[in-house]
Amino acid sequence: MTATVPRQLVHRAALSETLLTGWRRTGDDRFSVSAQWPRAHGLHVSPDWSAYDPLLVVETVRQAGTLITHAEYDVPLDHQFVMQEFQVATVAGRLAVGPLPAEPEVELVFTEVQYRGRRPAGARYTALVRREGEPVATADVAFTVVGGPVYRRLRGGRTPESVTAAPPPDGLAPADVNRALPTDVVLAPADGTDRWQLRVDTAHPVFFDHPLDHVPGMLLLEAARQAARLLRADDQSPVAYHAHFQRYAELDEPIWIEAKGGHGTDVQVVGTQGESTVFECLVGTAAR
């Protein structure tokens, strides 16, 4: 664990955003993936550098599934991944930043692998994230994989070069969503109670680590995180996410984020574009 895995295997352009350091097969459709979490990060470490954000776990699990799909199931690098469902729950008190970067291990089990010919066309996998041997989080992920020609047909000619996002509107105050920088605020005021416009800034170096033709899922999850913090005014912090992604979120059309209280401390967040739902996410919160 002296270097990261090849960044192309986790769909990242920046080495600094590549979290994984290695992997090995442990059984049939079972794998162990090693990672390193930086002690400071613009998004995924708290502004006071005391705690890792649960969305860092999400990104780690996403990268782990992508790595294994390419490296162990031989899916070509030019294929596109379409996220369908992402569920993660973190363990309270296990995400503190220590004196050294954390080096978690992610135990993956692939199930429901669907093949088109000899290559997977989709799968579900579960993840158990351990830190120093102790469970930190569990996750359940479902996705599909499409080749270049199919993806281009799905996107109807939309490419990173042909689609331009509108300038992002002014956002909320960073402190309201526990962010240090205005550029990391992804919600802007909108008409109505508990309703905001998504700020899409394609210059953001984390959400848009490389050019995309759609809004990435991690930006939508960050919107759910910020919306939940705004709705929960009783010092509750997001610790779990259960998201369903229905369709691509387009860069050049407004996206609206709405939140409402769910059962107990849960917050239900819905993103819409035009007349369609883009994603739904149940955010679980706990006292900070």
Side-chain angles (χ1 to χ4, degrees), residues 35 38 40 47 61 66-67 71 159 177 185 201 204 214 222 247 260-261 280:
V61 171
T66 303
L67 166 73
T159 67
V177 293
V185 176
D201 182 1
H204 196 285
H214 61 277
E222 176 63 23
R247 60 180 289 263
K260 61 181 180 180
E280 298 175 285

mmCIF file of all heavy atoms in Angstrom, residues 35 38 40 47 61 66-67 71 159 177 185 201 204 214 222 247 260-261 280:
data_model
loop_
_atom_site.group_PDB
_atom_site.id
_atom_site.type_symbol
_atom_site.label_atom_id
_atom_site.label_comp_id
_atom_site.label_asym_id
_atom_site.label_seq_id
_atom_site.Cartn_x
_atom_site.Cartn_y
_atom_site.Cartn_z
ATOM 1 N N ALA A 35 -7.815 0.948 1.112
ATOM 2 C CA ALA A 35 -7.953 2.363 0.786
ATOM 3 C C ALA A 35 -7.160 3.190 1.784
ATOM 4 O O ALA A 35 -6.703 2.697 2.827
ATOM 5 C CB ALA A 35 -9.428 2.776 0.827
ATOM 6 N N PRO A 38 -7.474 10.642 3.360
ATOM 7 C CA PRO A 38 -6.615 11.763 3.766
ATOM 8 C C PRO A 38 -7.142 12.432 5.028
ATOM 9 O O PRO A 38 -8.334 12.420 5.311
ATOM 10 C CB PRO A 38 -6.697 12.710 2.560
ATOM 11 C CG PRO A 38 -8.025 12.404 1.948
ATOM 12 C CD PRO A 38 -8.243 10.938 2.144
ATOM 13 N N ALA A 40 -7.069 15.570 5.539
ATOM 14 C CA ALA A 40 -7.705 16.821 5.128
ATOM 15 C C ALA A 40 -8.217 16.650 3.717
ATOM 16 O O ALA A 40 -7.541 16.080 2.857
ATOM 17 C CB ALA A 40 -6.710 17.985 5.204
ATOM 18 N N PRO A 47 -14.856 20.655 8.392
ATOM 19 C CA PRO A 47 -14.052 21.882 8.317
ATOM 20 C C PRO A 47 -13.000 22.007 9.422
ATOM 21 O O PRO A 47 -11.963 22.638 9.215
ATOM 22 C CB PRO A 47 -15.109 22.995 8.434
ATOM 23 C CG PRO A 47 -16.348 22.384 7.862
ATOM 24 C CD PRO A 47 -16.298 20.947 8.296
ATOM 25 N N VAL A 61 -16.666 3.211 -1.422
ATOM 26 C CA VAL A 61 -17.392 2.014 -1.852
ATOM 27 C C VAL A 61 -17.667 2.069 -3.351
ATOM 28 O O VAL A 61 -17.575 1.050 -4.048
ATOM 29 C CB VAL A 61 -18.693 1.870 -1.040
ATOM 30 C CG1 VAL A 61 -19.577 0.771 -1.619
ATOM 31 C CG2 VAL A 61 -18.374 1.582 0.426
ATOM 32 N N THR A 66 -16.280 -0.122 -8.757
ATOM 33 C CA THR A 66 -15.810 0.177 -10.116
ATOM 34 C C THR A 66 -14.490 -0.534 -10.398
ATOM 35 O O THR A 66 -14.292 -1.136 -11.466
ATOM 36 C CB THR A 66 -15.649 1.695 -10.290
ATOM 37 O OG1 THR A 66 -16.891 2.337 -10.001
ATOM 38 C CG2 THR A 66 -15.217 2.042 -11.705
ATOM 39 N N LEU A 67 -13.570 -0.479 -9.447
ATOM 40 C CA LEU A 67 -12.273 -1.151 -9.586
ATOM 41 C C LEU A 67 -12.448 -2.637 -9.844
ATOM 42 O O LEU A 67 -11.869 -3.198 -10.797
ATOM 43 C CB LEU A 67 -11.456 -0.932 -8.313
ATOM 44 C CG LEU A 67 -10.221 -1.819 -8.131
ATOM 45 C CD1 LEU A 67 -9.121 -1.396 -9.082
ATOM 46 C CD2 LEU A 67 -9.733 -1.770 -6.683
ATOM 47 N N ALA A 71 -11.239 -4.686 -13.032
ATOM 48 C CA ALA A 71 -10.040 -5.507 -12.854
ATOM 49 C C ALA A 71 -10.333 -6.996 -12.745
ATOM 50 O O ALA A 71 -9.516 -7.825 -13.170
ATOM 51 C CB ALA A 71 -9.286 -5.040 -11.605
ATOM 52 N N THR A 159 -22.728 15.204 -25.079
ATOM 53 C CA THR A 159 -21.349 14.921 -24.697
ATOM 54 C C THR A 159 -20.858 16.047 -23.809
ATOM 55 O O THR A 159 -21.467 17.130 -23.757
ATOM 56 C CB THR A 159 -20.431 14.825 -25.934
ATOM 57 O OG1 THR A 159 -20.345 16.124 -26.548
ATOM 58 C CG2 THR A 159 -20.973 13.816 -26.949
ATOM 59 N N VAL A 177 -24.843 24.865 5.899
ATOM 60 C CA VAL A 177 -24.768 23.478 5.433
ATOM 61 C C VAL A 177 -23.445 22.824 5.841
ATOM 62 O O VAL A 177 -23.036 21.819 5.271
ATOM 63 C CB VAL A 177 -24.966 23.399 3.901
ATOM 64 C CG1 VAL A 177 -26.382 23.783 3.526
ATOM 65 C CG2 VAL A 177 -23.963 24.282 3.160
ATOM 66 N N VAL A 185 -20.975 24.890 -1.575
ATOM 67 C CA VAL A 185 -22.414 24.910 -1.328
ATOM 68 C C VAL A 185 -23.125 24.548 -2.628
ATOM 69 O O VAL A 185 -22.902 25.177 -3.666
ATOM 70 C CB VAL A 185 -22.875 26.298 -0.839
ATOM 71 C CG1 VAL A 185 -24.390 26.327 -0.671
ATOM 72 C CG2 VAL A 185 -22.187 26.650 0.468
ATOM 73 N N ASP A 201 -21.785 23.507 -10.659
ATOM 74 C CA ASP A 201 -20.565 24.216 -11.031
ATOM 75 C C ASP A 201 -19.594 23.213 -11.631
ATOM 76 O O ASP A 201 -18.945 22.454 -10.914
ATOM 77 C CB ASP A 201 -19.961 24.892 -9.799
ATOM 78 C CG ASP A 201 -18.707 25.703 -10.126
ATOM 79 O OD1 ASP A 201 -18.322 25.755 -11.314
ATOM 80 O OD2 ASP A 201 -18.120 26.267 -9.192
ATOM 81 N N HIS A 204 -15.978 22.673 -10.402
ATOM 82 C CA HIS A 204 -15.648 22.131 -9.081
ATOM 83 C C HIS A 204 -14.698 20.940 -9.246
ATOM 84 O O HIS A 204 -15.012 19.981 -9.970
ATOM 85 C CB HIS A 204 -16.919 21.691 -8.353
ATOM 86 C CG HIS A 204 -16.719 21.489 -6.893
ATOM 87 N ND1 HIS A 204 -16.056 20.395 -6.373
ATOM 88 C CD2 HIS A 204 -17.053 22.264 -5.821
ATOM 89 C CE1 HIS A 204 -16.021 20.481 -5.066
ATOM 90 N NE2 HIS A 204 -16.624 21.605 -4.702
ATOM 91 N N HIS A 214 -23.394 14.908 -17.711
ATOM 92 C CA HIS A 214 -24.549 14.900 -16.819
ATOM 93 C C HIS A 214 -24.088 15.256 -15.410
ATOM 94 O O HIS A 214 -22.884 15.323 -15.137
ATOM 95 C CB HIS A 214 -25.226 13.518 -16.821
ATOM 96 C CG HIS A 214 -24.321 12.418 -16.356
ATOM 97 N ND1 HIS A 214 -23.424 11.800 -17.185
ATOM 98 C CD2 HIS A 214 -24.158 11.841 -15.133
ATOM 99 C CE1 HIS A 214 -22.758 10.879 -16.515
ATOM 100 N NE2 HIS A 214 -23.176 10.890 -15.263
ATOM 101 N N GLU A 222 -24.580 14.948 -2.241
ATOM 102 C CA GLU A 222 -24.189 16.106 -1.441
ATOM 103 C C GLU A 222 -25.364 17.066 -1.278
ATOM 104 O O GLU A 222 -25.549 17.656 -0.208
ATOM 105 C CB GLU A 222 -23.002 16.824 -2.083
ATOM 106 C CG GLU A 222 -22.578 18.104 -1.388
ATOM 107 C CD GLU A 222 -22.078 17.902 0.039
ATOM 108 O OE1 GLU A 222 -21.639 16.784 0.376
ATOM 109 O OE2 GLU A 222 -22.125 18.883 0.821
ATOM 110 N N ARG A 247 -33.058 8.622 -13.434
ATOM 111 C CA ARG A 247 -32.668 9.048 -14.779
ATOM 112 C C ARG A 247 -31.463 9.970 -14.680
ATOM 113 O O ARG A 247 -31.080 10.388 -13.590
ATOM 114 C CB ARG A 247 -33.825 9.777 -15.480
ATOM 115 C CG ARG A 247 -34.297 11.025 -14.764
ATOM 116 C CD ARG A 247 -35.446 11.707 -15.503
ATOM 117 N NE ARG A 247 -35.013 12.330 -16.745
ATOM 118 C CZ ARG A 247 -34.705 13.628 -16.853
ATOM 119 N NH1 ARG A 247 -34.791 14.436 -15.803
ATOM 120 N NH2 ARG A 247 -34.324 14.125 -18.006
ATOM 121 N N LYS A 260 -38.327 16.768 3.128
ATOM 122 C CA LYS A 260 -39.374 16.728 4.144
ATOM 123 C C LYS A 260 -38.995 15.686 5.186
ATOM 124 O O LYS A 260 -38.242 14.738 4.901
ATOM 125 C CB LYS A 260 -40.737 16.385 3.526
ATOM 126 C CG LYS A 260 -40.804 15.034 2.843
ATOM 127 C CD LYS A 260 -42.188 14.802 2.249
ATOM 128 C CE LYS A 260 -42.252 13.436 1.555
ATOM 129 N NZ LYS A 260 -43.604 13.190 0.969
ATOM 130 N N GLY A 261 -39.522 15.888 6.398
ATOM 131 C CA GLY A 261 -39.222 14.960 7.472
ATOM 132 C C GLY A 261 -39.824 13.600 7.206
ATOM 133 O O GLY A 261 -40.951 13.483 6.712
ATOM 134 N N GLU A 280 -34.266 9.973 -5.592
ATOM 135 C CA GLU A 280 -34.868 10.052 -4.270
ATOM 136 C C GLU A 280 -33.862 9.510 -3.275
ATOM 137 O O GLU A 280 -33.181 8.520 -3.555
ATOM 138 C CB GLU A 280 -36.150 9.235 -4.206
ATOM 139 C CG GLU A 280 -37.243 9.699 -5.155
ATOM 140 C CD GLU A 280 -38.449 8.775 -5.126
ATOM 141 O OE1 GLU A 280 -38.338 7.670 -5.703
ATOM 142 O OE2 GLU A 280 -39.470 9.148 -4.522
#
